Amino acid sequence: MDRCIGEVRAGAKAIGRRQRVLPLVSTLTVALAWFLPGAAWPDDLSSTQARMPFGVYAHVDIEDVLPGLVARFPKIKIVQSNTQACAVVTASSSDRAALHLALQEFYTTLLSDEAISGITAGVHWCRVQIERPDKIDAVCGISAAPCYPHGNDWSYVDDVFTAVHNYNRIKKANKAVQLIVTPGVYSPSWLTDGALLESCDPLFDGRKLSLPNCGMVTFNPYPEQRNALGTQDPLILPMPLPWSTQYIKYWHGFLTDLATKYGMDQALVSVIMAGPTCSTTEMILPNTANNSRQMSGMYADQAWQRLIGNSFKNNIDYAMHPAQVFVDYWERAIDAYEQIFSDSKLTLILTPDDYKNMPEFTGTSLPLPRLNKELALNFANFYNDDCNNVPLPISCQTKATVAFYFAIHPIPRAITGNVAKGISVGGMRAGSQLSTGQIDVPGVKLLTADPPPFTANGQSLPGGPLLGGAQFDHNLTKFDLTDNSFEPHTNAFSPVSDNFQDEACLNTQPNCVGKVSVEQGAFQVFANFFGGTKAAYLFDAGTTTPPIGFQAPVQFVDVTWRDVMYAVSTAGNCTLASTTTSTRFPGKTLMQDVLKQANYGLKIIAGRPDVNPPALKCGSSP
């Protein structure tokens, strides 16, 4: 068991005029002929069945939509400097109420798409917990000013739940919510302003040789670094150390508040877990391979090694195997989520993403996890399947070790509720990996296969089956929330987003912009998602030999809100339909057709297909 995993690995192989679609909500009439049964949840809170995500979800990051909606209100001001994690919204009480109403109407429009099972809402920690909880509670009882218990302003999250509950009540539907709450660089300013966490940055500029109690560090650049609102200046934000006791204390306290507020809400089906993360809940940290550096200019891997040495001076294991720190604190995060949401009866989701984007410490190794003989063999087989084609073995093993822990460990006995588990990829594209060897979407399918193909004698893992999902990495289309408008087709290939090439083009299509319609682009991303499943044929992804070597289920997929808005806006408008190369869509095709096909595919995998597949609105069905 003291071999490095490398030994195991070595033995295995926009053109045209703008079209207004305002107001969308008031003009749309939605007949819910069906909805995906898996999107439903138990009505009885005493049920032992955990609520689970099934179907196609509209993915919304609240920080992404706020500027467009605020622009509709001339009296509301929104500002953000490059050192502010969340933009500051200044408005009168009446304007603020109008803004929240606009957000709810926006969510209602997304829900009106009959192919959509619900909303995946991304929110930053700094957007909600605007005050330090242990200070604000002390003055709430004596202050006349508005006060937020535990410092939490839930209004922006409430908008999502209000829209979903109202829609379900009016339409007699069962649409759901998935929540992504991101800490890391998006921690509240009261935590990172220097009053609670000491900066580790002096370790890198010659001011200090040791800072045993420091708790945050500044990287610039770092992965998925965004620009400040309305400027080209990148956000330069301190990142709390994943092992900082103060950071963990306040973050877990906030998660407890979150579980208390929404955990028993029947609309909430899943929470995506965040562990040692920077600017996303995915397993992505600043590292040298993605060109991240500490503010001093030191490359990230070297900076992490210095930070680990500074914080764990007497830990010989971490000195020899520094990547083990991230494994240990991810596993602690998983345990914390399971305990905090123990009575919520929902699904907790891990997003390892691909094989890279974790620190790769040259000259070190990561030991094998401590497992019994049978599980050790299973892990070796799993690692060989998931990391056999990677140039960054420690990064891949870090993720594989955490994912395997999540998959095999049973829910602790202290947990009284029924918590389901899921695994997802946050950056799926048409050209994503098709076969196992680099985690990605095939890695999700590897873990969701029941029984998994890497287990001895095909036995199930002790942790039980996992749900599987993925989300589109980028939006395919353009949509302007300021006036609810989009640029319609003047030919078959607009309106494409700036990221269309990265998202929609296959690896065999080095430049498909202007040659592939947005509908075809969406079809190609879904073909990647459904490859190797029972529904692969619906997207021409093959019906005999799955590219991953086994047949596996998937249950949910996130599509960006812009693409859903585009589908809603163009639904039924056959003049904007396109032709595709697919044999499954022989006629003119709308984005709505593609989303319906994806929803139908998930129903086939779940063993609950409709009597008839969805028909094309503008052309003949196969």
Side-chain angles (χ1 to χ4, degrees):
M1 293 299 294
D2 58 350
R3 297 173 299 162
C4 103
I5 196 65
E7 298 175 35
V8 178
R9 176 170 174 261
K13 301 296 174 212
I15 304 172
R17 64 181 180 84
R18 295 173 66 79
Q19 178 163 326
R20 294 294 300 271
V21 292
L22 180 71
L24 288 174
V25 178
S26 60
T27 59
L28 287 171
T29 56
V30 181
L32 292 180
W34 57 268
F35 59 87
L36 186 64
W41 45 84
D43 292 326
D44 181 7
L45 277 177
S46 65
S47 170
T48 58
Q49 178 67 45
R51 304 185 299 276
M52 303 177 189
F54 282 92
V56 181
Y57 284 77
H59 185 102
V60 180
D61 286 320
I62 293 175
E63 298 302 311
D64 183 31
V65 301
L66 262 181
L69 288 174
V70 166
R72 299 181 188 177
F73 302 92
K75 293 182 180 179
I76 298 181
K77 305 300 180 187
I78 181 170
V79 295
Q80 182 182 29
S81 72
N82 68 340
T83 58
Q84 288 177 305
C86 283
V88 177
V89 180
T90 305
S92 66
S93 58
S94 59
D95 281 337
R96 191 175 295 274
L99 173 61
H100 285 295
L101 182 60
L103 278 162
Q104 293 167 30
E105 290 176 343
F106 163 66
Y107 297 132
T108 302
T109 302
L110 297 175
L111 295 167
S112 72
D113 189 314
E114 61 184 309
I116 296 300
S117 293
I119 293 173
T120 298
V123 60
H124 296 163
W125 182 14
C126 54
R127 177 58 59 198
V128 179
Q129 199 163 45
I130 58 177
E131 301 283 355
R132 180 175 166 179
D134 46 4
K135 281 198 169 184
I136 194 65
D137 286 348
V139 300
C140 269
I142 59 176
S143 173
C147 193
Y148 302 101
H150 291 206
N152 296 314
D153 175 7
W154 297 108
S155 60
Y156 290 95
V157 186
D158 280 344
D159 291 332
V160 181
F161 283 89
T162 298
V164 170
H165 282 301
N166 287 342
Y167 187 89
N168 287 342
R169 177 174 42 81
I170 294 169
K171 300 293 183 180
K172 308 228 180 310
N174 284 305
K175 303 214 173 183
V177 177
Q178 300 190 80
L179 269 185
I180 305 175
V181 186
T182 307
V185 295
Y186 298 125
S187 298
S189 59
W190 53 261
L191 180 64
T192 60
D193 63 5
L196 284 170
L197 297 182
E198 181 182 5
S199 176
C200 301
D201 291 345
L203 288 173
F204 302 94
D205 59 15
R207 286 179 286 166
K208 295 285 184 178
L209 296 177
S210 177
L211 285 169
N213 297 316
C214 69
M216 59 183 178
V217 64
T218 309
F219 289 97
N220 182 35
Y222 55 82
E224 303 192 19
Q225 188 174 20
R226 300 183 181 184
N227 290 342
L229 189 66
T231 75
Q232 296 302 309
D233 298 327
L235 292 175
I236 302 175
L237 307 171
M239 173 189 167
L241 298 182
W243 52 82
S244 164
T245 55
Q246 286 278 65
Y247 170 61
I248 292 172
K249 165 191 166 184
Y250 284 107
W251 172 237
H252 288 180
F254 173 75
L255 288 178
T256 301
D257 292 345
L258 183 73
T260 301
K261 174 73 174 177
Y262 301 110
M264 304 299 281
D265 192 310
Q266 297 297 281
L268 180 62
V269 292
S270 74
V271 172
I272 286 73
M273 298 184 295
T277 51
C278 178
S279 58
T280 171
T281 54
E282 298 161 27
M283 294 182 69
I284 297 176
L285 283 175
N287 64 88
T288 298
N290 60 31
N291 200 37
S292 296
R293 304 186 188 215
Q294 200 276 334
M295 285 289 290
S296 64
M298 180 182 290
Y299 276 109
D301 290 358
Q302 186 181 352
W304 280 119
Q305 206 148 8
R306 181 173 295 185
L307 290 165
I308 293 167
N310 175 73
S311 297
F312 304 99
K313 290 186 182 297
N314 299 318
N315 192 312
I316 297 175
D317 286 342
Y318 288 168
M320 295 176 60
H321 312 292
Q324 187 65 38
V325 176
F326 306 119
V327 171
D328 288 349
Y329 279 87
W330 257 110
E331 291 179 356
R332 292 183 190 186
I334 290 169
D335 293 343
Y337 270 87
E338 291 178 345
Q339 188 65 57
I340 290 168
F341 291 93
S342 60
D343 294 320
S344 298
K345 297 186 177 70
L346 47 69
T347 302
L348 295 174
I349 296 175
L350 179 73
T351 50
D353 217 48
D354 55 18
Y355 71 92
K356 52 192 176 183
N357 286 314
M358 293 294 283
E360 189 80 15
F361 300 111
T362 304
T364 70
S365 64
L366 191 63
L368 288 169
R370 296 181 180 89
L371 300 167
N372 64 37
K373 184 176 180 181
E374 181 179 355
L375 288 177
L377 176 61
N378 290 340
F379 175 76
N381 292 335
F382 170 65
Y383 178 82
N384 290 333
D385 282 337
D386 234 2
C387 297
N388 63 37
N389 185 27
V390 298
L392 301 172
I394 294 179
S395 180
C396 194
Q397 189 192 348
T398 300
K399 297 187 177 189
T401 303
V402 174
F404 193 76
Y405 173 83
F406 181 60
I408 69 165
H409 88 284
I411 302 294
R413 289 184 179 180
I415 292 180
T416 58
N418 187 346
V419 176
K421 298 192 286 188
I423 192 160
S424 181
V425 166
M428 178 178 63
R429 303 175 304 279
S432 290
Q433 181 80 3
L434 288 174
S435 59
T436 54
Q438 295 186 3
I439 302 183
D440 217 318
V441 180
V444 165
K445 296 170 183 173
L446 189 71
L447 279 172
T448 59
D450 186 27
F454 53 85
T455 58
N457 303 318
Q459 296 300 308
S460 298
L461 289 170
L466 273 69
L467 300 178
Q471 75 176 52
F472 278 43
D473 199 12
H474 303 290
N475 51 296
L476 297 165
T477 59
K478 296 178 180 179
F479 198 93
D480 188 351
L481 266 183
T482 303
D483 61 358
N484 269 355
S485 63
F486 68 98
E487 295 179 4
H489 295 295
T490 55
N491 56 48
F493 310 117
S494 64
V496 298
S497 72
D498 295 338
N499 297 310
F500 186 85
Q501 172 72 36
D502 290 337
E503 182 63 27
C505 299
L506 297 169
N507 295 330
T508 55
Q509 300 169 323
N511 183 11
C512 70
V513 180
K515 304 172 185 177
V516 171
S517 68
V518 292
E519 291 78 13
Q520 176 69 20
F523 184 92
Q524 291 178 173
V525 180
F526 278 124
N528 188 292
F529 177 67
F530 282 104
T533 72
K534 292 179 181 178
Y537 70 95
L538 292 176
F539 289 89
D540 294 342
T543 58
T544 52
T545 304
I548 55 174
F550 60 90
Q551 195 167 77
V554 285
Q555 285 81 18
F556 58 95
V557 60
D558 288 358
V559 179
T560 63
W561 67 264
R562 288 181 175 86
D563 293 343
V564 176
M565 288 292 279
Y566 181 73
V568 171
S569 305
T570 58
N573 190 343
C574 294
T575 62
L576 300 178
S578 301
T579 56
T580 73
T581 60
S582 165
T583 60
R584 305 303 305 180
F585 292 97
K588 297 193 92 178
T589 305
L590 292 164
M591 181 70 82
Q592 187 65 31
D593 295 320
V594 183
L595 296 183
K596 282 184 177 181
Q597 185 89 317
N599 208 340
Y600 178 67
L602 291 169
K603 296 179 74 174
I604 287 176
I605 294 169
R608 296 188 292 266
D610 282 340
V611 176
N612 296 307
L616 291 178
K617 179 72 177 178
C618 307
S620 58
S621 298

